[in-house]
Amino acid sequence: MGSLAQDLALTGEGIAPYVEPESGWTIVSPQPDVLVAVPTAETAVFPSGRENSGDASGSKVRFEVVPRDGTSEVTVDGLYITLSNILVSDKTGIARIGIEEWATTGDTIPGTPNAATLDVAKYPFRSGANPSPGVGRALVALKEQGGPPATLINAGAPVRLEWHHAPGDSHELYMNGLRIDDPSIAGGSLYQVGRDTVLRDTALALKTVTPTPVGGFVTRWDHLTVCVADQTLASLTTTGNATVEGAFGVTGHTTVSALATTGNTTVGGTLGVTGQTTVSALAATENATVAGTLGVTGHTTVNTLAATGNATVGGTLRVTGQTTVAGLNVTGALSGVTVKVTPDAE
């Protein structure tokens, strides 16, 4: 009790205690700051007493609960004491509720109680706030208005963000670490993320700043993540093996230090290989440039082959279109084609 930040309530007046199971226990409050436990047989008063060192502002309220008939078994359901109608102080801080328990499994109650402390965080009270201050503003992501939560969406699908707004709140919304620049967010309660925006797993955060009655501010954060089923990534780096069960399509520039494919690999752009590459089947619809050694262990069909250096074929080279070779070195059979050699102009 008191006016300091560590005090739970300004006064004990109006605090209503309730004990369960009420069949064996009773507790009454004849006046503020005092609780009296009443046995069944006769009235017995157990005043709480103000435990302070001469400072009336630092008082404590102690609630004592005793069984009606002197003894009562605490079952597996336990003993519940509920305190309601507490006028919580308006100073932010941690209040500590002390609990002392005299209990034994034998016949004699020990003189020294078991002691415990409950730490209760206090935030400034604001009338009408829902959810209660201190627990954020309940940020949610929905697939549509009133519709299912957007916990898993397709890439590019729209997402509706909603949160609770109380008068005086100021909000900031962040997506993947960047603040969304929209003036309606600060004093609003929703934001519609358009199509083709959420293309990969996206982290969202809502910052809420709430004024306090004494001129200060309390800051709260809500966090959630929207997962995307078919993600679109700007870049991908793998430190281990990369396994592709289906088709692997590259529309931009890709640099690979080592590529091992057991199935078809289709490259729509440029594939640059700086290390050794083993390919069982290669289909190139555009130019394929190999700076190192290209080893083919299976069948290879080439529509157009342009070699600016020596091209060495250890097996059979089948060319269905025109082929221009600056230098040709064949160690095996060369058949089925007409070879025309044009000497240099020199």
Side-chain angles (χ1 to χ4, degrees):
M1 314 299 300
S3 58
L4 302 179
Q6 65 266 28
D7 296 325
L8 177 62
L10 298 174
T11 177
E13 184 176 1
I15 297 178
Y18 176 72
V19 60
E20 296 180 80
E22 59 180 348
S23 59
W25 304 78
T26 184
I27 185 171
V28 297
S29 179
Q31 65 185 68
D33 300 354
V34 177
L35 285 182
V36 179
V38 182
T40 303
E42 61 184 35
T43 301
V45 179
F46 299 87
S48 66
R50 288 184 172 270
E51 301 176 5
N52 55 57
S53 302
D55 183 6
S57 65
S59 64
K60 297 181 180 178
V61 173
R62 185 178 63 209
F63 298 139
E64 296 183 355
V65 181
V66 298
R68 291 178 182 273
D69 58 357
T71 61
S72 180
E73 179 184 1
V74 179
T75 65
V76 292
D77 293 331
L79 176 64
Y80 296 87
I81 300 175
T82 302
L83 304 177
S84 60
N85 299 333
I86 300 176
L87 182 59
V88 180
S89 70
D90 57 359
K91 287 186 171 56
T92 303
I94 303 296
R96 292 174 174 82
I97 300 178
I99 300 175
E100 292 182 342
E101 175 200 51
W102 282 264
T104 182
T105 57
D107 298 330
T108 304
I109 299 295
T112 303
N114 299 318
T117 301
L118 296 179
D119 292 341
V120 180
K122 298 190 292 96
Y123 291 89
F125 172 77
R126 289 186 60 218
S127 177
N130 182 28
S132 301
V135 295
R137 283 294 181 256
L139 176 65
V140 295
L142 305 174
K143 292 184 178 180
E144 57 189 19
Q145 184 176 2
T151 54
L152 180 63
I153 64 172
N154 294 326
V159 176
R160 179 184 176 92
L161 303 176
E162 296 182 2
W163 60 89
H164 176 78
H165 172 78
D169 285 348
S170 178
H171 308 285
E172 295 178 5
L173 188 60
Y174 293 82
M175 179 183 299
N176 285 331
L178 299 177
R179 181 178 176 180
I180 299 178
D181 187 14
D182 189 317
S184 66
I185 294 176
S189 59
L190 65 90
Y191 178 76
Q192 182 67 48
V193 181
R195 292 186 178 274
D196 299 327
T197 301
V198 182
L199 302 177
R200 59 185 176 88
D201 290 353
T202 300
L204 299 161
L206 176 70
K207 177 183 178 181
T208 301
V209 179
T210 300
T212 65
V214 294
F217 295 92
V218 175
T219 301
R220 307 173 181 85
W221 287 92
D222 279 283
H223 299 268
L224 62 82
T225 300
V226 176
C227 296
V228 177
D230 47 350
Q231 301 190 50
T232 301
L233 303 178
S235 61
L236 176 64
T237 302
T238 61
T239 57
N241 294 332
T243 302
V244 180
E245 298 293 340
F248 181 67
V250 179
T251 57
H253 180 73
T254 302
T255 301
V256 183
S257 59
L259 175 64
T261 64
T262 57
N264 294 331
T265 300
T266 302
V267 180
T270 301
L271 176 65
V273 181
T274 58
Q276 183 178 1
T277 302
T278 302
V279 181
S280 60
L282 175 63
T285 57
E286 296 185 8
N287 294 334
T289 302
V290 181
T293 300
L294 175 63
V296 180
T297 59
H299 180 72
T300 302
T301 301
V302 181
N303 293 327
T304 302
L305 175 62
T308 56
N310 292 331
T312 302
V313 180
T316 302
L317 175 63
R318 299 178 184 275
V319 181
T320 58
Q322 184 178 0
T323 301
T324 302
V325 182
L328 179 63
N329 183 2
V330 180
T331 59
L334 178 62
S335 61
V337 296
T338 301
V339 179
K340 180 181 180 180
V341 179
T342 301
D344 294 339
E346 301 177 349

